[in-house]
Structures are given as structure tokens and as C-alpha cells.
Amino acid sequence: MASIKSSSHDEAILRARSVFITGAASGIGFALVQEMLVMPSTIEHIFASYRSLDSESGKRLLDLSKTHTRLTLVEMDITCENSIKRAFETVQACLSNLGLHLLINNAGIGDHDTFLTATTKSMELFYKTNAIGPMLVAQDNNLLFISAVLAAWNSLPKTFLPLLKIGKETNYTKGRSFKAAVVNVSSQVASLSSPRTNYFSYGCSKVALNMITRCMSLELKREEIVVIPIHPGSVKTKSNEGGRMNPGDASLQILNVICNLQLNKTGKFLSYNGSQLPW
Amino acid sequence: MASIKSSSHDEAILRARSVFITGAASGIGFALVQEMLVMPSTIEHIFASYRSLDSESGKRLLDLSKTHTRLTLVEMDITCENSIKRAFETVQACLSNLGLHLLINNAGIGDHDTFLTATTKSMELFYKTNAIGPMLVAQDNNLLFISAVLAAWNSLPKTFLPLLKIGKETNYTKGRSFKAAVVNVSSQVASLSSPRTNYFSYGCSKVALNMITRCMSLELKREEIVVIPIHPGSVKTKSNEGGRMNPGDASLQILNVICNLQLNKTGKFLSYNGSQLPW
């Protein structure tokens, strides 16, 4: 897979010291991990969660973790609160006082149905996985990840602030575009302006995820934490075999968007190419 | 309560022969029933569903049904598929071949929470009641209401069509603005353009209801059935004690919007005053 260095985005450097990405055993999640391991970055810790490593890419993720000490695999089912809590404790123990700089809520499910074929069961399953799951991962009322995200900034000794103001012109902080960020992988299918009737239960769950993300962005703006929903493009994955991009190319573009995130983007629905999508 | 005739909307006549409204035992639902009983209309049947008649307005609804033969009460819990099916069978038996001209999905729940206090339980309860419930009521895969809506038009003898084309200029059809319509009571809180962080679980369920409504509108446009989400305004009800309008005034405005519905409005997010809201 081409690294972001060889793409047209030579300047893109991911200025985050710690990253947690969910749903990393396949598709876009796996491709994001692969790319983060080779791209120019300040990353010291990549936490990659998975529900199962049974897939081919799952086995490759396991192999990657054996050869890259920066990569830690974490078992987590986003539909299970206890599982999320256990994953958090693992990540927190590894990070100690560093905190988390970037959370990519990528785990989710996708499938077709329509208004006429949707059922209570399909609606509930998609909502629980694609909307409530990312909400739980980001919440802090159960000591989950946002508390770690906040710690990332608050734990910096306050006396360093003047030095940081000087340091922002030096290499380490040059181009750092966010203090901490939450990126929720949504879908253009969630756009009420141009809905797709053949992704009914999925679209309902993803538009709710957009609302979750909007509300999160408002709650966390004062902390200067950037929160966005992102459309990853039409990506060829298990649940979208007709996708136009391969996961590697999609992950390059998504990471380029993340590298360029600024606080003025918070709460906006961004596409993989950086453009803003209508709700 | 002022009838629509005494308001500024003297021309508003509800050109529907049969109406089904959910959540009619209180708040806006009860006010809509009261108003439909006195407003200028062609209504022959009003079906009003309730979960419980224990409230003061519930008892008044029961009294109304005793004095108005056009009003039929139907017990229904929109979170229970079997209950919806039983209600459908009751309505279908009463309507025979007339079918249904207007379905107002009004039943729902409302309460406050935020991104930080929302729980799996609150998210699931709101989604099940405010999004999945109205979807089930409108679906036809379980022989529910849309099949009755479609029957309303399809059961007209096809030989009447030329007469209908002449008839549309005569009094009965003059001003009839839709063949059949589904009105889903949503909320401005569901607007991603201006979300309210203190109605988190509620907002997530209502934005999903907007997606449901958008998809329904696309599926049913070819049948010339109008489907809209409507924001009823800030109404003083049990779940919104700080509301600015009383339910009677809100219901007058909502019915005025319904009286003026045209096919070109289908799928648009309308406010009680008829203006279009951004997603």
C-alpha cells in the first residue's frame, strides 16, 4: 500500500501522540492502522480495537502488532458497555498521564434494506452499533475515552504554557492542528438532503450518529476538542462490495483530512476529500 | 377552544374523509382531535389511538367519543407490534373500502438529557418510541396503515377517473390538496443545523424520524402520497412545561399546514407556520 508520503499530500503529518481506533480488524479501520504505522507522524501509541481477528485482515493486524511496538490491540465490542469499559482500562493503563489525542470511532455495521423491509430488529441493531456504540466510547460518565482525551491536555504542566507558546513555531508543534479530536466515521447516506432509500436502517442510525457528533462538538468546543462526522467515500469493504475506492486509498484521504483539522471545522460534516457535506 | 373557522384561516377546509391520529389522549394529539371535530372538513371518520385514558384529557377524549359518532377510539402502544396490528384491524374493519386519507403520527415521548448523561437505555427507549414506532405504523409489510392509505385511492373505480378530472373543479374536490398524506410529528430539536444539546436522546430519535420520513416520501411519491415531518412549535405539554403555545393554538396551525399540503411539499421539513426548516 502506498504511504501518505508517496501521495500528493507530502506535507501531511499526523501531530498526535496517541490514537485509539475502533473496528480495526477489517476494511477502513485496518487500512487506517496500516497507514498510521508508515505515515509521517508523531504517534507514539496506536490502540486498535477489534471484536474478532478471524478475518484475513484480522490475522494481518495481529502480525502487525507483533512487529510494531507502537501498536496495541484491544478486544472490544461497541455494543457491550462492560467490554468498552475493559478496553478503556487497558488503554488508560498504557497511556498513564499522556492521555489520548485522537479517537477514531470507525466500528460499525452496514447492510441494505428499505422503508418497506426494515424491521424493529434491524433498526435496533443498527442504532445500537452505529449510534449508541460510538456515543458510549466517547462519553466520560462511565470513565470512558473523553476523560482520557481531556487528560491529554489538562495533564500538561501549566507552567509549560509559555514554553508551548514559543514552541508552537518550532518543529514539534508546527502544523499541529488540534489539541485532541474525535472523528466519527459516518456516511453520505446519512445526509437528509440526498438520502438513499436502499440503506434505510443504516441511514437512520448514521443520521443519529451525526446528531450525536453535532451535540458532542458543541459540548467539547470550549475544551478546544475537534469533533467531526466524516464520510469515508464509497469504499469496497465486506459490507459494500460495490464500493469504488479501496480501503487504502480511502484511509489516505481520511488521514489527510484529520491532519488538516482545525477547531473551526468542529461539528461540520466532512467528506474524505475535505469538502463539507450538507446535513 | 377556538375553531379553525374563527381563526385567520377561514378558507382552511380539511379535504380528507378518514383520519388516523396516534397519541390522542393528551397534548397536541388530543387538541388535534378536538379541532378536527369542529373545523370545516369532509371528515367522516376520525380514529384516535391512545395508550392510556387515565389523564384528564384522556377522560375528555372518551367523553368526546360518546357524543361524536365520527370519532372512534383505538387502544394502541406504538412500541408493540402486536398492538399496532390489532389497531390496524379495528380501523380496517370500520373503513371497509374507503381507506385512509390522512395518518398523523403524533405519539411519542419527550425528556431532557445531554451527551454526557444519555444512557443506552434512554437512547433505545426514545428511538423505539419516536422513530421505530411511527415507521411500524406507516409500513405495509405487516398489513399496517399504508396499505389502507393506498387502498383509499386504488379502490376508487377506475371508470370514475374521467369524472374525477371534471370533478376536481367542483365543490367537493375544490381545494383538495392531497390524495393521501402521512404527517410525522417531529421537532425543531431534530435540526442538525441548530441542534439543542439538552435534548440529546430525543433529538437523536427525532432526526432518525426525519430520515424515516424522507425515505418514506421518496418511496411514496409515485403514489402521490404526501409525507412530511412537521415541527409543532414550542407547545406546553406534560413533557415540555415551558412550552410557549397551548396545544389548541398549535393544533390550529398544524391543521392549517395539512390543509395546504401539496405534492411538491413532500419530504420537506415544515414548521407549524408552514415555513420550511433546514435539516
Side-chain angles (χ1 to χ4, degrees):
Chain A
M1 193 179 67
S3 92
I4 206 163
K5 206 164 189 177
S6 66
S7 78
S8 60
H9 313 298
D10 300 271
E11 301 304 315
I13 300 174
L14 188 55
R15 304 273 180 190
R17 292 174 65 192
S18 59
V19 179
F20 182 87
I21 174 164
T22 69
S26 64
I28 300 167
F30 175 64
L32 284 167
V33 171
Q34 276 189 305
E35 190 56 36
M36 283 192 283
L37 285 169
V38 296
M39 75 185 288
S41 79
T42 57
I43 302 175
E44 296 161 29
H45 298 279
I46 301 173
F47 298 93
S49 86
Y50 63 92
R51 197 174 49 178
S52 158
L53 293 174
D54 285 346
S55 63
E56 195 190 319
S57 56
K59 291 187 181 72
R60 287 169 64 200
L61 182 67
L62 186 60
D63 287 343
L64 281 178
S65 74
K66 287 173 183 163
T67 53
H68 291 83
T69 54
R70 292 188 296 164
L71 176 60
T72 304
L73 304 195
V74 183
E75 188 178 354
M76 188 179 86
D77 176 351
I78 57 166
T79 65
C80 171
E81 291 192 37
N82 283 333
S83 171
I84 296 173
K85 194 168 180 188
R86 278 194 302 274
F88 166 73
E89 285 162 359
T90 302
V91 173
Q92 189 183 42
C94 290
L95 284 175
S96 184
N97 288 325
L98 177 61
L100 189 64
H101 297 114
L102 175 60
L103 163 62
I104 305 178
N105 263 316
N106 163 73
I109 53 172
D111 206 351
H112 292 83
D113 62 2
T114 70
F115 164 63
L116 294 173
T117 61
T119 62
T120 299
K121 198 176 161 189
S122 70
M123 290 287 282
E124 287 181 343
L125 178 64
F126 276 89
Y127 196 64
K128 199 173 168 91
T129 312
N130 293 348
I132 300 176
M135 176 194 89
L136 291 173
V137 172
Q139 273 182 334
D140 71 352
N141 56 336
N142 296 315
L143 291 176
L144 297 180
F145 288 104
I146 285 295
S147 56
V149 169
L150 290 171
W153 197 246
N154 293 336
S155 66
L156 284 167
K158 293 290 182 285
T159 49
F160 275 105
L161 194 57
L163 288 180
L164 286 167
K165 284 181 179 173
I166 298 166
K168 72 182 177 184
E169 301 303 325
T170 69
N171 189 50
Y172 178 71
T173 53
K174 185 182 168 191
R176 191 185 59 181
S177 46
F178 54 83
K179 288 179 179 175
V182 180
V183 174
N184 289 335
V185 178
S186 180
S187 168
Q188 197 164 28
V189 170
S191 173
L192 288 153
S193 304
S194 54
R196 291 271 299 278
T197 56
N198 57 339
Y199 281 92
F200 184 81
S201 300
Y202 179 77
C204 291
S205 70
K206 289 292 190 180
V207 79
L209 176 63
N210 281 1
M211 178 61 86
I212 289 168
T213 313
R214 274 291 275 153
C215 290
M216 277 177 69
S217 75
L218 295 171
E219 299 263 13
L220 298 179
K221 198 167 183 178
R222 64 180 174 277
E223 311 287 352
E224 297 186 51
I225 295 173
V226 178
V227 190
I228 59 156
I230 195 166
H231 165 55
S234 170
V235 183
K236 192 174 173 66
T237 60
K238 269 185 302 186
S239 60
N240 186 23
E241 293 186 348
R244 287 186 297 275
M245 270 190 291
N246 67 54
D249 291 337
S251 75
L252 280 174
Q253 303 235 50
I254 292 166
L255 287 168
N256 194 48
V257 172
I258 294 173
C259 287
N260 290 300
L261 274 184
Q262 302 280 353
L263 196 59
N264 64 6
K265 291 283 172 66
T266 200
K268 291 181 179 162
F269 189 11
L270 300 185
S271 185
Y272 62 97
N273 61 13
S275 65
Q276 190 177 345
L277 295 172
W279 297 118
Chain B
M1 192 180 65
S3 94
I4 205 161
K5 205 166 188 174
S6 65
S7 75
S8 61
H9 315 295
D10 300 272
E11 302 304 317
I13 300 173
L14 188 55
R15 304 274 181 188
R17 293 174 65 192
S18 57
V19 179
F20 182 86
I21 175 165
T22 69
S26 64
I28 299 167
F30 176 65
L32 284 166
V33 170
Q34 278 189 306
E35 189 56 33
M36 283 192 283
L37 285 169
V38 296
M39 73 185 288
S41 79
T42 57
I43 302 175
E44 296 162 29
H45 298 278
I46 301 173
F47 297 93
S49 85
Y50 63 93
R51 197 175 48 177
S52 158
L53 293 173
D54 286 345
S55 63
E56 194 191 321
S57 55
K59 292 186 180 72
R60 288 168 65 201
L61 181 67
L62 186 60
D63 288 343
L64 281 177
S65 73
K66 288 174 183 162
T67 52
H68 291 83
T69 55
R70 292 188 295 163
L71 177 59
T72 303
L73 304 196
V74 184
E75 188 179 353
M76 187 179 85
D77 176 351
I78 57 165
T79 64
C80 172
E81 290 191 37
N82 283 334
S83 172
I84 296 173
K85 194 168 182 188
R86 279 195 300 276
F88 166 73
E89 285 162 357
T90 302
V91 173
Q92 189 183 42
C94 289
L95 284 175
S96 186
N97 287 326
L98 178 60
L100 190 63
H101 296 115
L102 175 60
L103 163 62
I104 304 179
N105 263 317
N106 163 73
I109 54 173
D111 206 351
H112 292 83
D113 63 3
T114 70
F115 164 63
L116 294 173
T117 62
T119 63
T120 299
K121 197 175 161 189
S122 70
M123 290 289 281
E124 286 181 343
L125 178 64
F126 276 89
Y127 196 64
K128 198 173 168 95
T129 312
N130 293 348
I132 300 177
M135 176 193 89
L136 291 173
V137 172
Q139 272 182 334
D140 72 352
N141 56 338
N142 296 315
L143 290 176
L144 298 177
F145 288 104
I146 284 294
S147 57
V149 170
L150 291 172
W153 197 245
N154 292 338
S155 66
L156 284 167
K158 292 293 181 283
T159 49
F160 275 103
L161 194 59
L163 287 180
L164 287 167
K165 284 180 179 174
I166 298 164
K168 70 183 179 183
E169 300 302 326
T170 69
N171 190 52
Y172 177 70
T173 54
K174 184 182 168 191
R176 190 186 59 180
S177 48
F178 55 83
K179 289 179 177 175
V182 180
V183 174
N184 290 335
V185 177
S186 181
S187 167
Q188 197 164 26
V189 171
S191 174
L192 288 154
S193 305
S194 54
R196 292 271 299 278
T197 56
N198 57 340
Y199 281 93
F200 184 81
S201 300
Y202 179 77
C204 290
S205 71
K206 289 291 190 183
V207 79
L209 177 63
N210 281 1
M211 177 61 84
I212 288 168
T213 313
R214 275 289 277 152
C215 290
M216 278 177 68
S217 75
L218 294 171
E219 299 263 12
L220 297 178
K221 198 167 184 180
R222 63 180 174 277
E223 310 286 353
E224 297 186 48
I225 296 173
V226 178
V227 190
I228 59 154
I230 194 166
H231 165 57
S234 170
V235 184
K236 194 176 171 66
T237 60
K238 267 185 303 183
S239 59
N240 185 24
E241 293 187 348
R244 288 186 297 274
M245 273 191 290
N246 69 53
D249 291 336
S251 75
L252 280 173
Q253 302 235 50
I254 293 166
L255 288 167
N256 193 48
V257 172
I258 294 174
C259 287
N260 291 300
L261 273 185
Q262 302 282 352
L263 197 59
N264 63 7
K265 291 283 173 68
T266 199
K268 291 180 180 164
F269 189 11
L270 300 184
S271 184
Y272 62 97
N273 61 13
S275 65
Q276 189 177 343
L277 295 172
W279 297 118

